[in-house]
Amino acid sequence: MNKILHPFYNIMTSIEVTNLQKTFQTKRKAAGLSGSLRALIKPEYSSVEAVHSLSFKMEAGELLGFIGPNGAGKSTTIKMLTGILHPSSGAAKVLGYIPWIDRQKLAYHIGTVFGQRPQLWYHLPAMDTFMLFGKIYELDDRETKKRIEYLTEAFEIGDLLDVPVRKLSLGQRMRCEVAASLLHRPKLLLLDEPSIGLDVVAKQHIRDAIRRMNQEEGVGVLLTSHDAGDLEALCKRVIIVNHGQIVYEDKVSNLKRNFLTTKLVQVRYALEVSKDFSINGVETLKVGHYGVKLKFDTTKTPVDSVISHLSEAGDIMDITISDPPLEEVISKIYQEANA
Amino acid sequence: MKELKFLIAIWQTNLQSAMEYRAAFLTQVIGMIVNNFIYFAIWIIFFNKFKDVRGWGVNDMYVTFGVLASSFGLVSLLFGNTFTLSDIIAKGRLDYYLSLPRPVLLHTVASRTIASGMGDFLYGFISYCLSGYFTWDGLARFALAALLAATVFGAFLILTQSLAFWFGSMSNFSGLMLNAMLTFGIYPITLFDSYAKLILFTIIPAALMGAVPAEFIRAFTWEVLGQLLLGAIGFLALAIFVFHKGLRRYESGSAIQIEI
């Protein structure tokens, strides 16, 4: 019974959140011994609103990025969606279940990874945790082993399964962590900062495997991250939160189109040039005898006018036109939301 | 049945984890048996001098200390996280157990084995065998009494440690209550007046961990068995209720965790 999806589960919607709110009571204390004594006699508390009236939907099988700075309320939201925390008010349904009421039933259908909270047993090889998870999710041993084989290939962890987890690198461990969370074929994967502290190669490994699980098994992914690279590589849609509220929600392609209007142009000439590169609306970032680096807004200055101006200066040997990093764009959105 | 299968799987994994460091595991088990013998030597010296205290002799102490050690050992061995539950709550480490489809209290407390508990558990049986009260049906009563005393002890730990949901980390208070349980549990019950006895059956149920199980082991009576069963079921139900009441207040945490 537990493993059957909720009868009212709408096949098209994985997550539906309405006016979700979470307020924590935090103890306040002045610095020093006198502050500690005062707090002992008369403690003072203040309310911190970690999530404020949050509403959004996530479709089944969708790859949704949920990003924001530290303290934005991302992890608190994920914890409410998995049933770890009770909200202060508001409603949420995940795969048709109310997470904080149907926590156990829901847990059979979702996988969770908290980048800062390992779930693999530290002193044992990952294989032992995999087998234990098989028992926790009530899979029979043959089914568990078959699934481990598939995940071993998908996450390239064949050589790692028999090594005690304490001896694995962070990247290797995270691959095993994500694989463990997929052992029971969840419909939805909630990843909280899965790439934290990982190097470029390890991040790429994890992203490739998650993308593959999404394509092959239709697993929906809700991903929180500080890394805009995760967002670009994995997500189709993005929700940006700040101070517990949604400040932006759209497709990643629209985010790029609307906010990536600034271009960077770098040119290298065959011969030395002495032309004045100043054009209206174009900022000169760097200028040398053989090249120049410019920045301009495409909504104000057309790209072709900048290119023709640059080509008049001499024979171009090499030219690069690039977008500013997505991180810069997200930071701009945070600043606009704060203003 | 489903939960029993799960418990067996988790105990197996605990044991595998504890045995990863074979030397440390064996040292803790043997060390604890030796430690308990050394501790008990004080009582042997005491009873050599005074013979008996209000009807209690050294043989009664062997049984009382034995059942106390075995029940303590059983909780350490099978439900090791009852000793650190307060810290787990205060540091937000319940997240892991809450994200898996199992009863959260059972999963949390069963997820750690304290290897020295094996030493305590075994020592209790040795102590009973040396008591002079040994019979085969007495041994069966010893096993049942240790199980019921362990239930009371485990439930008491869960109760005191669950206060962390309301007051933050309660590890010092829990430590204090744990020591009170063990200290009062070993004393002859005949030492106490009726008010003190009331406390030892309710607020600090040490009598249900030492004197009452010892009485049941020495001679079977339905009345004493009833006391033990009532105590075990009552305290366990109260512990589960308080834990779940507190769970609604759980605030998680953002501490970075290195291992489990």
Side-chain angles (χ1 to χ4, degrees):
Chain A
M1 175 65 192
N2 279 340
K3 291 181 189 172
I4 298 167
L5 272 173
H6 194 281
F8 299 123
Y9 166 51
N10 174 352
I11 200 75
M12 297 304 289
T13 311
S14 279
I15 300 177
E16 194 171 357
V17 173
T18 318
N19 296 326
L20 201 64
Q21 202 140 331
K22 181 70 188 176
T23 308
F24 291 109
Q25 292 292 314
T26 309
K27 200 171 174 181
R28 298 267 170 213
K29 182 191 92 65
L33 184 62
S34 59
S36 296
L37 285 171
R38 269 201 302 276
L40 195 67
I41 297 159
K42 196 183 168 195
E44 282 176 24
Y45 293 91
S46 65
S47 295
V48 177
E49 215 164 46
V51 174
H52 178 73
S53 210
L54 199 73
S55 300
F56 71 92
K57 270 189 187 184
M58 177 179 163
E59 302 304 317
E62 192 180 353
L63 292 162
L64 176 62
F66 198 70
I67 62 168
N70 286 332
K74 308 181 298 287
S75 298
T76 305
T77 305
I78 289 226
K79 284 173 186 174
M80 286 191 279
L81 295 179
T82 48
I84 291 173
L85 290 176
H86 286 246
S88 305
S89 64
K93 279 198 172 180
V94 179
L95 304 176
Y97 292 106
I98 299 170
W100 47 94
I101 293 173
D102 304 312
R103 179 191 68 79
Q104 268 181 266
K105 287 178 191 163
L106 174 65
Y108 281 103
H109 306 290
I110 60 169
T112 46
V113 175
F114 294 98
Q116 300 174 10
R117 299 266 167 108
Q119 53 187 343
L120 299 171
W121 287 54
Y122 190 65
H123 296 294
L124 293 176
M127 183 58 125
D128 287 328
T129 305
F130 280 47
M131 292 308 288
L132 176 66
F133 273 28
K135 298 271 191 259
I136 287 176
Y137 288 106
E138 295 172 54
L139 310 174
D140 65 46
D141 285 353
R142 213 176 52 181
E143 200 183 343
T144 305
K145 281 176 189 157
K146 209 171 144 193
R147 183 66 176 162
I148 292 171
E149 265 174 41
Y150 172 75
L151 292 169
T152 301
E153 190 257 319
F155 283 83
E156 297 172 35
I157 51 174
D159 299 337
L160 313 177
L161 286 180
D162 297 325
V163 181
V165 170
R166 64 178 185 275
K167 303 232 165 121
L168 298 178
S169 72
L170 185 61
Q172 290 171 331
R173 207 198 75 209
M174 276 315 292
R175 264 148 66 200
C176 294
E177 291 275 354
V178 181
S181 70
L182 288 159
L183 191 77
H184 56 297
R185 298 174 194 275
K187 299 266 174 296
L188 176 66
L189 196 57
L190 297 148
L191 304 172
D192 191 14
E193 307 279 2
S195 58
I196 197 159
L198 301 187
D199 63 33
V200 184
V201 180
K203 277 180 191 173
Q204 198 52 47
H205 262 118
I206 299 228
R207 287 169 188 162
D208 290 346
I210 292 172
R211 204 181 299 111
R212 178 175 165 182
M213 299 309 291
N214 172 259
Q215 283 162 1
E216 288 182 8
E217 301 198 335
V219 187
V221 180
L222 177 64
L223 168 93
T224 81
S225 181
H226 276 108
D227 188 342
D230 284 342
L231 190 74
E232 270 188 300
L234 280 174
C235 301
K236 297 274 185 290
R237 193 160 69 93
V238 61
I239 290 176
I240 301 177
V241 283
N242 202 6
H243 302 303
Q245 286 178 301
I246 294 178
V247 292
Y248 185 88
E249 183 179 359
D250 208 340
K251 287 180 181 168
V252 174
S253 55
N254 288 349
L255 172 78
K256 285 182 178 172
R257 195 178 316 126
N258 296 335
F259 285 89
L260 294 181
T261 51
T262 305
K263 296 281 177 200
L264 298 171
V265 183
Q266 195 160 6
V267 179
R268 204 151 61 86
Y269 292 98
L271 300 167
E272 196 172 335
V273 286
S274 55
K275 185 179 165 66
D276 176 16
F277 289 102
S278 58
I279 323 169
N280 244 353
V282 177
E283 187 188 344
T284 307
L285 297 176
K286 198 174 163 189
V287 67
H289 295 300
Y290 290 90
V292 65
K293 191 175 178 182
L294 307 171
K295 183 179 175 184
F296 64 99
D297 187 337
T298 51
T299 58
K300 291 175 186 150
T301 314
V303 180
D304 55 359
S305 72
V306 176
I307 302 298
S308 60
H309 183 75
L310 288 170
S311 57
E312 281 167 14
D315 293 335
I316 294 175
M317 253 185 78
D318 191 13
I319 183 165
T320 313
I321 304 175
S322 57
D323 294 322
L326 193 56
E327 274 167 10
E328 219 170 84
V329 176
I330 292 165
S331 150
K332 195 174 152 192
I333 294 172
Y334 293 159
Q335 282 161 12
E336 281 177 13
N338 283 336
Chain B
M1 194 61 201
K2 197 171 74 175
E3 300 312 340
L4 190 65
K5 269 189 189 169
F6 155 68
L7 271 182
I8 291 168
I10 210 150
W11 287 333
Q12 270 176 1
T13 315
N14 277 339
L15 200 62
Q16 280 168 257
S17 183
M19 290 194 309
E20 266 295 297
Y21 302 94
R22 215 168 27 153
F25 178 76
L26 291 172
T27 316
Q28 283 184 71
V29 175
I30 296 164
M32 191 46 78
I33 295 176
V34 173
N35 186 45
N36 286 339
F37 269 115
I38 293 169
Y39 175 81
F40 197 73
I42 301 285
W43 286 103
I44 295 174
I45 295 164
F46 177 88
F47 280 104
N48 262 339
K49 194 160 176 63
F50 297 105
K51 297 302 170 202
D52 78 65
V53 178
R54 292 194 189 175
W56 274 56
V58 72
N59 294 358
D60 300 299
M61 286 307 295
Y62 267 114
V63 179
T64 312
F65 191 59
V67 75
L68 191 95
S70 281
S71 56
F72 182 91
L74 209 55
V75 174
S76 313
L77 204 57
L78 302 181
F79 301 104
N81 269 341
T82 46
F83 292 90
T84 48
L85 189 58
S86 145
D87 248 17
I88 292 172
I89 295 165
K91 290 180 180 164
R93 282 164 49 205
L94 278 183
D95 290 9
Y96 166 76
Y97 306 102
L98 282 164
S99 62
L100 294 170
R102 288 291 158 195
V104 62
L105 177 59
L106 186 69
H107 192 172
T108 307
V109 296
S111 288
R112 181 174 164 229
T113 278
I114 301 171
S116 61
M118 177 68 96
D120 283 316
F121 181 69
L122 293 175
Y123 171 82
F125 281 84
I126 299 169
S127 185
Y128 171 67
C129 294
L130 295 174
S131 71
Y133 282 112
F134 181 84
T135 58
W136 287 107
D137 57 334
L139 186 66
R141 283 201 301 279
F142 183 91
L144 177 62
L147 190 68
L148 293 172
T151 310
V152 173
F153 180 53
F156 179 72
L157 289 179
I158 292 168
L159 262 175
T160 55
Q161 307 250 359
S162 294
L163 296 177
F165 284 120
W166 287 271
F167 306 116
S169 181
M170 295 293 287
S171 47
N172 289 339
F173 173 74
S174 306
L176 210 66
M177 296 308 275
L178 169 72
N179 284 333
M181 269 295 263
L182 298 179
T183 308
F184 292 123
I186 189 71
Y187 285 157
I189 191 82
T190 46
L191 279 182
F192 301 104
D193 63 14
S194 50
Y195 289 113
K197 275 183 190 160
L198 183 68
I199 292 173
L200 295 182
F201 275 89
T202 52
I203 299 171
I204 304 165
L208 293 169
M209 197 185 166
V212 179
E215 202 180 331
F216 176 71
I217 295 159
R218 283 193 304 265
F220 175 86
T221 66
W222 284 106
E223 190 195 335
V224 178
L225 179 61
Q227 275 179 13
L228 275 174
L229 279 170
L230 197 70
I233 295 167
F235 272 100
L236 188 60
L238 187 64
I240 292 170
F241 173 76
V242 170
F243 178 85
H244 283 96
K245 192 89 185 150
L247 192 59
R248 285 186 62 85
R249 300 173 57 91
Y250 178 60
E251 290 198 340
S252 185
S254 57
I256 293 174
Q257 194 184 319
I258 311 296
E259 57 173 293
I260 57 169

